[in-house]
Amino acid sequence: MFGYVIPDKPNMLMKDFTEFRAYYCGLCKALGRDNSALLRLLTNYDCTFLTVLFHNLEGVAPEIKMQGCVLNPVKKKAVVAKSDVMKKAAALTVLLAYYKAGDDVADGGGLKASCVRNSVALSAKKAARLMPEADAVIANRYKELAELEKSGCKSVDMAAEPFARMTEELVCLFAKEITPQLKEFAYGLGKWIYLADALDDVDKDLKTKNYNPFIAAYGDVKDKASFLAQRKDELALTMYSVYNATVRAYDALSVTVSEGVLSNIVYLGMKEQTRRILEGEQKCNTIRI
């Protein structure tokens, strides 16, 4: 469920893209510093977005330093420096990866999913000690999700509820002030991610016979291409309704830190990903930094 909340690079100011990349590299370094170099591979766009959002919610402007990278130690680049917010963001990234891998194993994800889960297990215990509330939230919501999937839930909205609530609760853990608008934004963000991932995975889930809310709800799905074509208007209404509600909630938030980065992703990046998914374009058509 990672790789959807990304910038719209062609329409992003260079200063904002540089800042986003600094957050990405900062999260990568934090994962390696607090765990092992291997866990740097957990760095992803969605958790980078959350890292930016957490800095805004805690009112902490990023301290950006020029540092080398493990892949290119000679050439220095802008990196968001070590901080308490970054440390917690890295811990949350580990916990999300661990429970996602566990969910994949339960879905028959095979050797790859098992390897990821086992590789992250020790670091997940460490992250849970740092953020016990986050660990409890993720564990409980993934349990709810698994129960819905096992029951063959035929409601797209109900199936998306655990992941939406999980995102809402995790975001609120970082907020100095929890407002209805913030809860609505985080809930919508989580729901949009879940539905985007489900639509992208229709062909894969048909092949593996894994649960997919759209397949369960419509029942007549033969392949993703024909499904998107035949149900175009209904699916567009579903995806854009969630997206538009998320944008309205974001409009009401106080954004004082990294506003250019956050606004580009919410207003342009998520909208472009919605279009891409509904048109059935190849999965993981993302930017590379």
Side-chain angles (χ1 to χ4, degrees):
M1 295 181 184
F2 301 122
Y4 294 97
V5 188
I6 66 175
D8 180 27
K9 185 179 176 182
N11 293 298
M12 194 175 206
L13 294 176
M14 182 57 68
K15 70 177 183 63
D16 293 330
F17 181 70
T18 299
E19 187 174 7
F20 174 79
R21 185 169 60 183
Y23 274 109
Y24 185 98
C25 294
L27 180 59
C28 179
K29 280 181 172 289
L31 285 166
R33 180 173 56 245
D34 297 335
N35 303 282
S36 68
L38 180 63
L39 264 67
R40 288 172 178 264
L41 296 174
L42 297 180
T43 312
N44 61 78
Y45 298 122
D46 301 64
C47 288
T48 301
F49 173 82
L50 289 176
T51 301
V52 183
L53 180 64
F54 296 157
H55 277 76
N56 178 70
L57 293 177
E58 295 205 3
V60 177
E63 180 185 1
I64 298 180
K65 297 183 177 180
M66 299 301 294
Q67 298 179 352
C69 171
V70 66
L71 296 178
N72 191 348
V74 177
K75 184 178 181 181
K76 293 187 176 182
K77 61 175 68 175
V79 177
V80 173
K82 179 180 179 180
S83 69
D84 183 58
V85 181
M86 187 61 76
K87 185 178 182 68
K88 290 189 291 185
L92 184 60
T93 300
V94 170
L95 290 172
L96 287 169
Y98 176 72
Y99 284 103
K100 172 64 168 62
D103 186 59
D104 289 343
V105 170
D107 286 343
L111 182 61
K112 180 180 179 181
S114 295
C115 287
V116 172
R117 184 185 61 179
N118 293 338
S119 298
V120 177
L122 288 178
S123 293
K125 289 181 179 180
K126 179 180 177 182
R129 289 194 295 270
L130 178 64
M131 302 191 68
E133 290 181 311
D135 180 60
V137 165
I138 300 171
N140 291 334
R141 291 305 185 183
Y142 262 106
K143 181 179 179 181
E144 290 178 14
L145 182 59
E147 290 171 352
L148 283 171
E149 292 178 351
K150 187 176 180 179
S151 71
C153 177
K154 294 185 178 181
S155 167
V156 172
D157 284 334
M158 286 181 61
E161 186 74 5
F163 199 86
R165 290 298 178 193
M166 180 185 76
T167 307
E168 175 189 329
E169 291 162 1
L170 292 175
V171 167
C172 287
L173 290 178
F174 284 81
K176 287 185 175 180
E177 180 183 1
I178 300 174
T179 65
Q181 293 79 13
L182 176 62
K183 295 177 70 174
E184 185 180 352
F185 169 73
Y187 176 91
L189 177 69
K191 185 172 184 179
W192 180 86
I193 292 172
Y194 179 85
L195 296 180
D197 181 70
L199 266 183
D200 247 349
D201 282 350
V202 165
D203 275 340
K204 185 186 77 173
D205 291 335
L206 282 169
K207 182 178 180 180
T208 59
K209 300 188 185 304
N210 283 336
Y211 173 82
N212 184 295
F214 290 103
I215 297 173
Y218 288 93
D220 59 348
V221 183
K222 295 179 175 59
D223 60 74
K224 185 168 78 170
S226 62
F227 177 58
L228 291 174
Q230 294 167 6
R231 302 285 186 172
K232 181 178 180 180
D233 292 341
E234 296 169 69
L235 296 174
L237 178 61
T238 297
M239 292 302 299
Y240 279 112
S241 292
V242 175
Y243 168 71
N244 290 334
T246 306
V247 169
R248 286 194 297 271
Y250 176 77
D251 287 339
L253 298 182
S254 174
V255 183
T256 58
V257 176
S258 302
E259 184 275 331
V261 175
L262 293 171
S263 292
N264 173 276
I265 294 173
V266 173
Y267 293 136
L268 301 178
M270 289 175 62
K271 185 176 182 179
E272 172 60 16
Q273 288 299 296
T274 303
R275 181 204 64 77
R276 177 190 69 75
I277 292 163
L278 289 170
E279 292 188 5
E281 293 183 6
Q282 184 179 1
K283 189 174 181 179
C284 295
N285 178 22
T286 60
I287 61 168
R288 297 297 174 199
I289 66 172

